[in-house]
Amino acid sequence: MPDNATLAPAYKALMAGDHGDPFTVLGMHKANGSLVVRALLPGAVSATVIEIRSGEKIAALGRVRNSDLFAASIPDRDEPFPYRFLIDWGGGYEQELEDAYRFPPILGDMDVWLLSEGTHHRPYEKMGAHPAEIDGVSGVSFAVWAPAARRVSVVGDFNNWDGRRNMMRFRHECGVWEIFMPHLAAGDIYKFEVKAQNGSVILKADPFAFRAQLRPDTASVVHWMPPIYPATIERKEANAFFAPISIYEAHLGSWRLPFEYGKRWLTYRDLAEQLIPYVRDLGFTHIELMPVNEHPHDGSWGYQPTGLYAPTSRFGTPDDFLHFVKTAHEQGLGVILDWVPAHFPVDEHGLAQFDGTHLYEHEDPREGAHQEWGTLIYNYGRKEVRNYLVGNALYWIERFGVDGLRVDAVASMLYRDYSREPGEWIPNRYGGRENLESIAFLRNVNEIIGAERPEAVTMAEESTSFPKVSRPVWEGGLGFHYKWNLGWMNDTLEYMKQDPLNRKYHHDKMRFALMYAFTENFVLPLSHDEVVHCKGSMLGRMPGDEWQRFANLRAYYGFMWGHPGKKLLFMGSEFGQYAEWDANGTLDWNLLQYPLHSGVQRLIRDLNSVYRAFPALHQMDFDQRGFEWIVHDDVDNSVFAFQRRDKHGNFVIVISNFTPVTRQGYRIGVPLEGWYREILNTDALIYGGSGVHNGELEARQIFSHGHDWSLSVAIPPLATCMLVRKG
């Protein structure tokens, strides 16, 4: 057909892969009372238009100016109709293909409105790659936010990674590029080829991809969006403030190695069969997973994610991960995910300078970079970035049914001067150090989760004295349900590492947390951060000979389980691993053949059992009325004793002795007369202790510690025991 000179610049731009709106040229268009069809088919010999309804060959496309562009006029037809191409690729190979440029836009008016407004709580339902059917044709719809790009294309094996073949439609209203690609399906590998305004071409993984290739490959993989995971009242109650919450933190890649030769990791399904029953048997209520988002570097442990919407392919598919969560719930365990909205890595295929500009991050490194970690900071003031992160939080809760998100590095989000020297940060608009945009984002995401999925909870890893982290937004708080008590962790571990002879000089370390214990809803964390970077294992921090080290550890765990606050313990610490955690190895399971190690494991099982069985140990964790000191000032003997109470007035008495001397006849005051029995003693022979115990004790009417009644107790050496009143 004759070439239209007015289209010559468009043809040139298409051939160069530099057309910002290919749908205005390619496909079928009305033209002067007839139709014209244009296609860009690099490598084709010839092409023919076939009408789908009749199956007839309507017109042969002619090559335009010896280029890879083909065009044909269809006279006597003025209304577009469904068609496909019959393409001759040479060598006798012909192929019938749908034309991606004949399909309508993907985003509806409401999607465009909400995306542009930054209030589309579930952007993942439209963004990214979705297997779909349009006009009876199966394929995949693609959408990506890149408002500053000159051109964006979908590339993969299906088009020889040629960015000219499938250039996308630009929706100016919301900065999104979109296209429906017929013939593609779940399992296809793809990336977005982005041409920046300066002419550079970059390949980017899909920020919304549900699945990614296994490192070192970095492409995205088309996958079905998981169905909505039903919410239940049982899960809501299991995550509530009054519930017993005892969390086993795990790194899936190093919990246990597979037995099969040549297999690097257990799969999600392997872990469902092995890890879940193990955690349930130990009596934990929840399992917390270090980040499962796709990440390129094993050594980051998942804390530098490039694929926030994709469960890492190291352990299997998204369907496999969903099976893991379902199995946990079936066996009565909640699942908490570590979630990282604080920063992202600079890997070229990731979010950094996504469309050639600082799209997801701040341009100024004083705002947009963590020099300490070598990562970039999200621009929380940009509505589309907030929308991306809020949608991601809901995605894991709604589509995989996770019970909670533990938000990593919250302190780094709250302060603009975090880990920065003067001159390396920019004050907020009021001249202060608080990151107002980040604070607004955290409040927003917590409010939305609370409104949309009230059965789920959020937890903050926050190491400063920022007020009201776990208070509702309407009270001026950040809206988290729980906050990690890193102050308690640091203080008590500092105390425990002291020689027992010197502990009297550090007595406040064990009681100081009670000065602020009820200002937040605290979780007591002994996490992975405490067993790496030359800090030693939990057992390795304990002083003394081998017996004393184990006794110290058992006494500490007993004190922790009696103390107000939910519990968290990192894997390996439950059986007293000697070595620091090695993410490239596995836990030292062989240690369980030795009684002292198996004794610690048995103690953890029994602590969890007692903790769950007695509401006084968990029901009023965040209420001052649920705690009362009995002994807090016995500095010379390093003894502590306190009551834990439930809402009905039932109580458990917790007594700890952090010296290797048995305290016979130690008198403590109790609220009521009657007989008391020991429900747990970390010095029991079955745990590897010395066997000093109390059995049943009768309260005598002898005034002590503000009470008319008291007990004469034998407090074992380096031990914690718990007592309850009979009846």
Side-chain angles (χ1 to χ4, degrees):
M1 61 170 287
D3 185 19
N4 188 339
T6 61
L7 288 175
Y11 292 162
K12 183 178 180 180
L14 288 168
M15 285 299 300
D18 197 20
H19 201 295
D21 196 1
F23 278 81
T24 60
V25 181
L26 301 176
M28 182 177 286
H29 298 271
K30 295 181 180 180
N32 301 321
S34 63
L35 298 175
V36 61
V37 180
R38 305 184 189 94
L40 178 59
L41 302 170
V45 174
S46 65
T48 303
V49 177
I50 297 177
E51 185 176 21
I52 292 176
R53 285 192 294 264
S54 65
E56 295 181 8
K57 295 180 180 179
I58 301 299
L61 281 75
R63 191 182 296 273
V64 177
R65 291 188 173 183
N66 296 318
S67 69
D68 289 323
L69 280 159
F70 293 79
S73 288
I74 304 175
D76 304 324
R77 301 285 291 266
D78 57 4
E79 287 299 324
F81 56 86
Y83 67 94
R84 64 171 61 99
F85 294 131
L86 175 63
I87 303 172
D88 181 359
W89 296 106
Y93 175 54
E94 289 188 334
Q95 185 181 28
E96 283 196 23
L97 290 177
E98 299 285 346
D99 182 11
Y101 294 96
R102 79 170 182 85
F103 293 95
I106 295 166
L107 299 178
D109 291 341
M110 184 57 69
D111 294 311
V112 169
W113 176 275
L114 295 176
L115 288 170
S116 62
E117 194 178 55
T119 57
H120 200 309
H121 294 167
R122 297 166 183 84
Y124 62 84
E125 293 182 349
K126 290 296 182 179
M127 303 296 289
H130 294 268
E133 184 177 293
I134 298 180
D135 293 342
V137 177
S138 296
V140 176
S141 65
F142 294 92
V144 62
W145 180 54
R150 276 167 56 173
R151 183 263 299 168
V152 181
S153 303
V154 182
V155 294
D157 291 337
F158 46 83
N159 60 14
N160 295 320
W161 299 87
D162 185 344
R164 298 174 300 165
R165 290 177 180 266
N166 298 114
M167 293 179 279
M168 305 173 78
R169 174 193 287 114
F170 185 50
R171 303 298 298 272
H172 294 267
E173 316 96 298
C174 56
V176 172
W177 299 77
E178 60 165 33
I179 194 171
F180 175 72
M181 296 277 292
H183 306 296
L184 299 191
D188 282 327
I189 294 170
Y190 70 98
K191 281 187 176 181
F192 293 116
E193 184 179 281
V194 180
K195 191 163 191 176
Q197 289 297 326
N198 64 5
S200 63
V201 176
I202 45 182
L203 285 174
K204 292 291 187 179
D206 182 359
F208 284 91
F210 299 140
R211 186 178 173 189
Q213 283 186 301
L214 176 63
R215 58 89 178 118
D217 294 321
T218 58
S220 302
V221 182
V222 177
H223 196 81
W224 290 96
M225 180 171 58
I228 291 287
Y229 197 101
T232 65
I233 188 65
E234 291 81 10
R235 295 309 321 150
K236 183 176 182 179
E237 291 179 350
N239 301 326
F241 297 142
F242 59 78
I245 295 180
S246 179
I247 304 165
Y248 185 86
E249 185 192 19
H251 177 259
L252 295 183
S254 59
W255 177 73
R256 178 180 287 162
L257 297 183
F259 295 113
E260 295 92 331
Y261 177 76
K263 191 174 178 182
R264 171 67 178 85
W265 301 286
L266 294 175
T267 67
Y268 293 120
R269 292 182 181 269
D270 294 334
L271 291 158
E273 294 177 1
Q274 299 179 40
L275 174 59
I276 295 300
Y278 176 78
V279 175
R280 179 202 60 193
D281 178 65
L282 287 180
F284 288 95
T285 63
H286 292 69
I287 183 168
E288 179 177 320
L289 306 180
M290 292 168 68
V292 300
N293 315 86
E294 194 56 76
H295 53 283
H297 178 48
D298 293 353
S300 78
W301 310 333
Y303 290 101
Q304 294 193 13
T306 50
L308 274 189
Y309 284 81
T312 177
S313 54
R314 288 166 175 80
F315 315 123
T317 68
D319 299 328
D320 297 332
F321 179 68
L322 182 60
H323 172 79
F324 176 91
V325 177
K326 287 182 176 178
T327 301
H329 287 167
E330 289 167 359
Q331 298 195 27
L333 284 177
V335 178
I336 299 167
L337 295 187
D338 278 11
W339 188 52
V340 189
H343 60 135
F344 59 91
V346 298
D347 296 70
E348 187 176 2
H349 69 282
L351 297 181
Q353 297 191 53
F354 190 84
D355 63 355
T357 69
H358 298 276
L359 187 63
Y360 285 87
E361 71 273 21
H362 290 277
E363 181 176 2
D364 192 323
R366 293 176 296 173
E367 292 186 284
H370 278 304
Q371 304 295 343
E372 178 184 13
W373 301 331
T375 55
L376 301 175
I377 302 171
Y378 288 101
N379 183 348
Y380 306 105
R382 196 162 196 169
K383 59 184 182 298
E384 296 90 347
V385 174
R386 294 195 305 270
N387 206 44
Y388 172 73
L389 294 171
V390 169
N392 186 251
L394 275 180
Y395 170 74
W396 291 104
I397 295 168
E398 289 191 330
R399 298 291 171 167
F400 290 100
V402 303
D403 295 82
L405 300 173
R406 174 268 194 186
V407 183
D408 180 65
V410 171
S412 75
M413 302 173 68
L414 296 178
Y415 299 103
R416 288 171 167 264
D417 63 346
Y418 180 86
S419 192
R420 287 177 169 82
E421 298 297 327
E424 295 179 349
W425 60 282
I426 299 175
N428 63 36
R429 61 180 177 269
Y430 301 113
R433 57 195 285 258
E434 295 80 11
N435 189 326
L436 303 179
E437 295 80 12
S438 174
I439 291 169
F441 158 71
L442 291 170
R443 287 172 170 161
N444 182 235
V445 71
N446 285 326
E447 280 190 309
I448 290 172
I449 290 173
E452 300 287 346
R453 295 299 290 243
E455 80 280 7
V457 295
T458 58
M459 301 177 174
E461 185 211 17
E462 205 284 305
S463 56
T464 75
S465 58
F466 193 92
K468 298 185 177 182
V469 171
S470 58
R471 292 294 180 262
V473 172
W474 55 267
E475 285 187 7
L478 291 183
F480 286 95
H481 297 82
Y482 300 101
K483 173 183 174 176
W484 276 22
N485 194 338
L486 298 173
W488 173 90
M489 177 272 297
N490 284 317
D491 286 346
T492 57
L493 285 177
E494 178 66 22
Y495 177 90
M496 292 305 301
K497 79 175 187 181
Q498 304 298 324
D499 185 291
L501 290 174
N502 297 324
R503 283 176 175 164
K504 62 183 179 181
Y505 305 115
H506 303 270
H507 201 73
D508 278 344
K509 296 289 186 184
M510 295 298 272
R511 61 185 180 181
F512 182 67
L514 272 305
M515 298 292 290
Y516 59 86
F518 308 104
T519 61
E520 300 276 5
N521 304 326
F522 282 120
V523 174
L524 309 182
L526 296 178
S527 73
H528 67 276
D529 280 327
E530 309 319 312
V531 293
V532 291
H533 304 318
C534 300
K535 294 178 182 176
S537 66
M538 282 295 119
L539 180 65
R541 289 167 177 250
M542 302 296 135
D545 59 27
E546 185 175 68
W547 188 91
Q548 288 192 359
R549 291 169 71 193
F550 278 93
N552 272 303
L553 186 64
R554 295 192 304 267
Y556 182 47
Y557 286 163
F559 180 84
M560 173 182 175
W561 256 256
H563 194 284
K566 309 309 181 185
K567 324 301 175 190
L568 181 142
L569 191 66
F570 183 60
M571 65 182 197
S573 301
E574 79 275 14
F575 58 79
Q577 178 157 308
Y578 281 119
E580 277 195 341
W581 168 55
D582 178 7
N584 297 314
T586 183
L587 300 184
D588 295 327
W589 294 104
N590 62 300
L591 294 176
L592 285 171
Q593 64 184 303
Y594 303 108
L596 285 175
H597 293 278
S598 61
V600 175
Q601 187 190 57
R602 181 167 184 169
L603 171 65
I604 292 297
R605 183 185 292 110
D606 290 350
L607 281 170
N608 279 327
S609 178
V610 168
Y611 173 66
R612 297 172 76 165
F614 290 88
L617 291 174
H618 60 256
Q619 193 177 75
M620 298 179 70
D621 267 328
F622 314 126
D623 190 328
Q624 177 71 59
R625 295 171 297 174
F627 175 87
E628 181 183 317
W629 278 115
I630 300 173
V631 179
H632 64 82
D633 54 357
D634 191 353
V635 175
D636 290 333
N637 292 318
S638 296
V639 169
F640 301 86
F642 51 85
Q643 287 183 52
R644 297 296 311 281
R645 289 190 288 264
D646 67 19
K647 62 183 180 181
H648 300 295
N650 303 306
F651 57 91
V652 173
I653 294 172
V654 181
I655 309 169
S656 294
N657 173 15
F658 289 109
T659 65
V661 179
T662 302
R663 306 295 176 186
Q664 294 285 358
Y666 195 99
R667 186 159 296 280
I668 63 166
V670 293
L672 298 171
E673 79 286 358
W675 286 86
Y676 288 72
R677 65 185 178 92
E678 201 169 61
I679 58 172
L680 187 133
N681 185 332
T682 68
D683 189 53
L685 294 173
I686 56 173
Y687 307 136
S690 65
V692 176
H693 65 281
N694 288 281
E696 295 187 356
L697 301 169
E698 185 178 11
R700 300 300 176 97
Q701 198 167 4
I702 300 174
F703 186 84
S704 183
H705 302 106
H707 294 285
D708 292 333
W709 299 84
S710 60
L711 300 172
S712 177
V713 183
I715 312 178
L718 295 174
T720 295
C721 53
M722 298 182 184
L723 307 172
V724 297
R725 182 172 178 268
K726 293 184 66 176

